[in-house]
Amino acid sequence: MRIKRSRTIVVNRAPGRLAEARVLLAHGVKRAALGRSGIRALKREGDGATPLGRFPIRQVLYRADRVPRPRTRLPVRAIRDGDAWCEEPADRNYNRLVKLAPGSSADRLKRADHLYDLILVLGHNDRPRVRGLGSAIFMHLPREGYAPTAGCIALSMRDLQTLLAALGSKSHIRLMP
């Protein structure tokens, strides 16, 4: 099965599992981790929920020192030292990629673990940005055992790479309850 480049990829919550999902990809139905609070229609900053809805993929970020440049038609950028994502609702750069400032509480993208070695930035609460309605909603790599995320969607490296190779600029991720 070949994914059309404008296709919407559906992420369905796994039956009976609040923080686990199933994603239909070209190579089958795959497991994914969700936020610890499951999927919610009304997302709030820090609630641990994955937002319900249909979201475009804005860009792909990757660790050039750990993984090769992803093969995709989406915009791609290597993560640099000091790159972070602003999660502070009172900050004017809320829900944006920023340069980490001393004393900042922003989410550092260059991490010791491998969660952010490959990131798909989803267009949640970004056009327009509304303070407090959630930030940094990504698709990224999972923790051990697909433990719940803080609100993101986590897939294996193989599954993310397969997804990226098939997506186009008009593709969306749809999160279903």
Side-chain angles (χ1 to χ4, degrees), residues 45 85-89 91-98 121-130 133-138:
E45 188 67 43
W85 203 268
C86 182
E87 298 176 327
E88 177 52 53
D91 192 298
R92 66 183 176 87
N93 289 311
Y94 178 62
N95 200 22
R96 285 187 178 160
L97 179 66
V98 295
V121 179
L122 301 185
H124 170 265
N125 189 31
D126 65 342
R127 295 182 187 167
R129 290 175 297 126
V130 178
L133 291 189
S135 63
I137 301 299
F138 305 143

Side-chain angles (χ1 to χ4, degrees), residues 66 119 125 140-141 159:
R66 293 186 177 172
I119 301 170
N125 189 31
H140 60 69
L141 299 175
D159 294 341

Side-chain angles (χ1 to χ4, degrees), residues 100-139:
L100 193 64
S104 171
S105 63
D107 189 10
R108 180 182 299 275
L109 298 184
K110 226 172 192 184
R111 299 169 53 123
D113 62 22
H114 293 276
L115 294 184
Y116 288 175
D117 285 2
L118 184 58
I119 301 170
L120 281 71
V121 179
L122 301 185
H124 170 265
N125 189 31
D126 65 342
R127 295 182 187 167
R129 290 175 297 126
V130 178
R131 293 176 183 196
L133 291 189
S135 63
I137 301 299
F138 305 143
M139 292 184 89

Side-chain angles (χ1 to χ4, degrees), residues 7-77:
R7 180 173 176 189
T8 296
I9 304 301
V10 178
V11 178
N12 286 300
R13 188 176 63 79
R17 301 201 178 225
L18 183 67
E20 192 172 309
R22 300 292 179 258
V23 183
L24 177 61
L25 299 175
H27 59 288
V29 176
K30 299 300 174 180
R31 181 182 185 193
L34 297 171
R36 66 184 177 277
S37 301
I39 296 175
R40 287 192 185 162
L42 186 56
K43 168 76 182 143
R44 295 282 186 219
E45 188 67 43
D47 66 1
T50 302
L52 176 73
R54 183 174 177 261
F55 307 103
I57 301 131
R58 299 290 187 211
Q59 66 178 325
V60 178
L61 304 172
Y62 74 104
R63 287 281 304 263
D65 59 325
R66 293 186 177 172
V67 298
R69 181 183 173 89
R71 296 177 62 179
T72 183
R73 293 180 184 209
L74 296 166
V76 176
R77 180 184 177 282

